[in-house]
């Protein structure tokens, strides 16, 4: 029943819940449930080791492979792979080489894809890998630069969006969307929803105290044109 935890992400303590015990008892009165400590310290580690052996057996037999790599952390700043050194090209190259050795993939990498950060590009060059930047990340960089041409207008949109999202008592069936700096398409989503709710926004702004300045008519037109330009690229990425 490890699928309860591996596939459904149920907490280990479910096996100690009275309702679950009664359910299992009804299915099979003679079945003895493992306790959560046995599951977490014996069952899951054993399954992990089994999968690890199978995967290492598989990777040891392949003749070539491509590599995708990126550096990132969870929202709580935990690393998904322990890395205690500075993110220099030499340190990253050593880390990647260690991982490839672990999976018996050294001298089998024919191509590598990464973002366009200098340290990771230099890392792949240091390792001698043919490589190129991620297409989606490259598009992101292009449009971050392009959107900078309308930085003042987009800043006004963000200010209005922030105002409405923080206001109490305003409940729209479709809420305004705030963008994320590292994802250009989030700016597209923000502008699209903003223009979609143009009538509501323009009608409401004049009724609220301390509201930010509304957009000028020509600025609404620019946003509509921006949407048309960005839409095709959003579909591509």
């Amino acid at each position: 029943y490890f699928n309860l935890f591996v596939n459904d992400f149920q907490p280990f303590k479910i096996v100690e819940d009275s309702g679950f015990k009664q359910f299992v008892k009804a299915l099979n009165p003679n079945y003895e449930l493992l306790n959560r400590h046995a599951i977490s310290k014996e069952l899951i580690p054993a399954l992990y080791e089994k999968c690890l052996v199978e995967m290492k057996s598989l990777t040891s037999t392949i003749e070539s492979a491509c590599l995708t790599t990126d550096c990132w952390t969870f929202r709580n700043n935990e690393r998904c792979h322990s890395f205690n050194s500075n993110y220099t090209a030499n340190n990253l190259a050593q880390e990647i080489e260690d991982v490839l050795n672990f999976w018996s993939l050294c001298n089998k990498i024919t191509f590598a894809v990464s973002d366009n950060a200098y340290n990771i590009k230099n890392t792949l060059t240091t390792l001698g890998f043919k490589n190129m930047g991620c297409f989606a990340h490259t598009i992101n960089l292009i449009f971050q630069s392009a959107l900078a041409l309308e930085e003042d207008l987009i800043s006004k949109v963000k200010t209005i969006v922030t105002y409405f999202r923080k206001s109490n008592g305003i409940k729209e069936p479709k809420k305004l969307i705030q963008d994320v700096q590292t994802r250009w398409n989030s700016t597209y989503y923000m502008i699209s929803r903003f223009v979609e709710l143009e009538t509501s926004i323009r009608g409401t702004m004049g009724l609220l105290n301390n509201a930010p300045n509304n957009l000028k008519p020509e600025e609404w037109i620019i946003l509509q044109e921006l949407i048309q330009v960005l839409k095709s690229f959003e579909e591509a990425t």
Side-chain angles (χ1 to χ4, degrees), residues 3-16:
N3 284 334
L4 274 173
F5 317 108
V6 176
N7 294 342
D8 297 338
F9 303 108
Q10 295 292 338
F12 295 148
K13 68 177 291 293
I14 191 175
V15 297
E16 297 177 355

Side-chain angles (χ1 to χ4, degrees), residues 107-176:
N107 303 317
K108 296 180 180 180
I109 303 300
T110 58
F111 201 81
V113 177
S114 69
D115 63 20
N116 294 280
Y118 288 116
N119 60 344
I120 196 64
K121 297 291 286 184
N122 290 336
T123 295
L124 299 178
T125 300
T126 299
L127 290 167
F129 296 159
K130 293 181 180 179
N131 63 87
M132 67 177 294
C134 168
F135 176 75
H137 187 259
T138 302
I139 291 291
N140 182 23
L141 294 178
I142 292 171
F143 274 89
Q144 289 293 347
S145 298
L147 291 172
L149 299 175
E150 294 294 344
E151 183 176 0
D152 291 341
L153 174 56
I154 293 174
S155 179
K156 289 178 69 174
V157 172
K158 289 181 181 180
T159 299
I160 295 173
V161 169
T162 300
Y163 176 81
F164 274 97
R165 288 177 64 87
K166 289 184 177 180
S167 297
N168 294 323
I170 299 177
K171 296 181 180 180
E172 290 286 345
K174 289 187 176 181
K175 295 182 179 180
L176 293 172

Side-chain angles (χ1 to χ4, degrees), residues 71-73 79 81 83 85-89 91-92 119-120 123:
C71 296
W72 61 280
T73 57
R79 297 177 174 88
H81 178 77
F83 186 77
S85 303
N86 294 326
Y87 290 110
T88 64
N91 289 338
L92 289 170
N119 60 344
I120 196 64
T123 295

Side-chain angles (χ1 to χ4, degrees), residues 155-216:
S155 179
K156 289 178 69 174
V157 172
K158 289 181 181 180
T159 299
I160 295 173
V161 169
T162 300
Y163 176 81
F164 274 97
R165 288 177 64 87
K166 289 184 177 180
S167 297
N168 294 323
I170 299 177
K171 296 181 180 180
E172 290 286 345
K174 289 187 176 181
K175 295 182 179 180
L176 293 172
I177 300 171
Q178 187 64 274
D179 72 339
V180 179
Q181 185 176 4
T182 55
R183 293 291 180 265
W184 77 265
N185 51 2
S186 68
T187 304
Y188 165 74
Y189 298 141
M190 178 184 71
I191 295 173
S192 295
R193 180 61 58 81
F194 193 81
V195 171
E196 182 181 354
L197 299 177
E198 176 184 356
T199 302
S200 298
I201 293 170
R202 297 180 71 167
T204 305
M205 292 285 285
L207 303 176
L208 300 174
N209 295 325
N210 302 317
N213 294 328
N214 205 340
L215 302 188
K216 300 175 183 178

Side-chain angles (χ1 to χ4, degrees), residues 43-81:
L43 178 62
I44 298 299
L47 288 170
Y48 171 81
E49 290 299 326
K50 179 176 181 292
C51 290
L52 181 63
V53 170
E54 291 175 353
M55 288 303 301
K56 292 187 74 172
S57 175
L58 175 64
T59 56
S60 66
T61 61
I62 64 176
E63 296 181 358
S64 62
C66 294
L67 174 71
T68 300
T69 183
D70 191 14
C71 296
W72 61 280
T73 57
F74 292 110
R75 290 182 178 179
N76 60 0
N77 289 325
E78 290 184 4
R79 297 177 174 88
C80 62
H81 178 77

